[in-house]
Amino acid sequence: MVVTLMIISPYMLQTLAIINSYWNASLPECFSELTSLKYLDISYNNFSGNISMFKNLRLLKYLDISSNNFFGDISMLKNLKLLEYLDLRSNKFSGDISYFMSLTSLRELWLSNNNIEIPSSLAPLFNLSKLQKLYADNNTTYNAETEMHSVDTPTFQLRSISLSCCGDGGSFPQSLNHQHDLRDVDLSNINFKGDQFPNWLLENNKKLETLNLVNSSLSGHFHLPSTSRRGLSRLDVSSNSLDGNIPNEIGAKLPSLLVLNMSNNFFGGGIPISIGDMISLKLLDFSNHRLSGGIPRHLPMGLFIFDVSNNQLFGDIPSSMESMSLLALDLSNNTLFGGIPRWMGTMSYLEVLLMANNHFEGPIPVEFCELNYSLKFLDLSANNLSGSLPSCFNSLSLTHVYLSRNKLEGPITSFFNSSGLVTLDLSNNHLIGNIPNWIGSLSTLSYLLINNNYFEGGIPVQLCELHLLRLIDVSSNNLSGTIPPCLMNTISNDSSRAYFDNSGYDGSIGSFYVDVPIKFTMKCISYFYKATVLTYLSGIDLSCNKLTGEIPHQFQHYRDIIVLNFSHNSLIGPIPPTLADLSQIESLDLSHNHLSGNIPSQLLGLHFLSFFSVAYNNLSGITPQMTGQFATFEESSYLGNLFLCGEPLPKNCSIDGSSSSMPKNATDKGFIDMEFFYASFVGSYIVMPLCIAMVLYINPYWRQAWFYHVEAATMSCYYFVLDHILPKRFH
């Protein structure tokens, strides 16, 4: 706590500072008697209530009440006409800024993180001729083009303006067209209704240092100023609808940029070669465009982050990148080809490497083992990579590995020392051997996907030691043996325990976030789930293997499982009633096994179940009552169970639960009616000789042939018996 008193007498007090003291109370009414105050700072406390006591403090020049819990309107501040600095940030104030029209001495106005209504035109502030800084992020910006004001054009010359988030701003504020001294501009996350990009901002303000127009619904072409802007260090126009080409002279006109983010627009053409002239550039993000051509051979050597993902780039990776000190490289979702360069193993600072969905081929370079102390994210999925995994690749820093949808082969020999691994996705490859026991030592592993390979043997009991596991998919392999009962105890039942840190880099030059999707089958459909969704998804998929034995019964403490798929195995025994303890389950597939017995009625309590299949088993009895979620399941959920009856199957059940198509005494004499069987057997033996006799009587040719073959067969039998069976004395 800081308390500063310049004059002892409270009635003559001119300076008062109470900072970071957490009073948790309302301001005392005696504040209204401090009429001599010129400087008041009570920021970073938990003061609450309204600020009506400030209306008499007419001599105030500096007022900072930020980061408190004050609420109500701000109308009483209109009396403080000598204010030069006003900071109301991070409170709960409401009202509009028209109350500040009388504060003609104001130089700095801080309003961020409140509920104040601010017109995008800023017209109520036009007469504040001394205003230089306006920060009003996270309020409500609205379109006020029809409002009339006494001053048509602003009298101020702003140096900084920040109005980011949120609201409908109408047209881009033309009042800024009168500004020529701007240094910092942030009008992000305001809907300007597809207005043309304000190229005049760059043209008019030669001292501009930062320009952020992120997600502002701007369209049109991006044009460079007529002369270079050497003071501009940060330019972010991402997430708009800009089109055309990125200007070729961008490197010459904006040579001092540290951050250039133009991602998520509709730019076409190639990456300008002049980018290489931006010697100070640290972050370059051209992702999510329609850019074509190759990666420029000449790039700034000081780049930390380079993202050109989701374009139409082709060609190989230029060798000139070998000397760069990259922290994050994202080339994913292009049509790049060739082998992965070996020299990438020398990029000792590299933390994030994303190259998925290209046409890279060949092996993973063994030189990647040199990245063991830096690399955190590795995504090489959906390429044509072949060969085995480098056995020396055991980075201690690795947290997420995505190598799915390649042609990798051999056993898993990597990652056994990667104790910080959270995601391991090796699905859809040609890997063989057993699932390694050492995977159980990866204590932070939450997402394990090794499906669609050729693994064999049993499911290691060591997997039960993965207490943070949220998702395991070993489907479509050649696994055998039984399901370890403890595996059901492994899946975390608390989404708050799920760990998925997707922050690739977050530093002074900007942020780079990784959101690699994982493919997982749920409700019989394969989806790609991103990190933000994965933390809420948990499940086990053991389908399409050769597993035997019964389904484990230990479910009662793990109610958060969303997906359970044991289909296409050779499981036997009953369906455990304890499955009803999985209260959050949405997808349950036990089809294509050898399960027997009844379907437990307790499953009717699964209120979130939206996919259910026990088809093609040996189940019997009545199907669950058509209520709740089970009223939505069709005949396909129960097909292939001969002794199962009831809705929605066409086979009705009798009162005692047996099929009504069976005889009444079926339970005593078996499923087949023996009396009917005997009668049909005798009848067939009578009808068959009569039919033969009738045919022979009608057709003389067949009759002659018949007697010929009968005679020949009789003679053959006679001589066979005579030669091989009767003793010789009878010959």
Side-chain angles (χ1 to χ4, degrees), residues 298-335:
H298 178 44
L299 290 170
M301 289 295 102
L303 263 183
F304 287 165
I305 298 175
F306 183 43
D307 187 353
V308 289
S309 60
N310 296 289
N311 281 288
Q312 300 168 12
L313 301 175
F314 58 86
D316 58 358
I317 301 176
S319 58
S320 57
M321 296 178 65
E322 179 179 359
S323 303
M324 299 172 66
S325 301
L326 284 171
L327 297 174
L329 174 62
D330 192 349
L331 307 177
S332 56
N333 298 299
N334 283 284
T335 54

Side-chain angles (χ1 to χ4, degrees), residues 41-57:
D41 187 347
I42 54 173
S43 59
Y44 294 94
N45 294 288
N46 283 330
F47 289 126
S48 59
N50 58 52
I51 55 172
S52 58
M53 69 288 297
F54 291 157
K55 63 183 178 182
N56 296 326
L57 309 184

Side-chain angles (χ1 to χ4, degrees), residues 18 49 72 92 122 230 246 296 311 451 500 517 543 560 591 599 603 676:
I18 305 174
K92 300 175 183 178
L122 303 179
R230 297 187 176 275
I246 299 174
N311 281 288
N451 52 292
F500 202 108
S543 63
D560 225 31
S591 62
I599 300 175
L603 300 185
F676 178 78

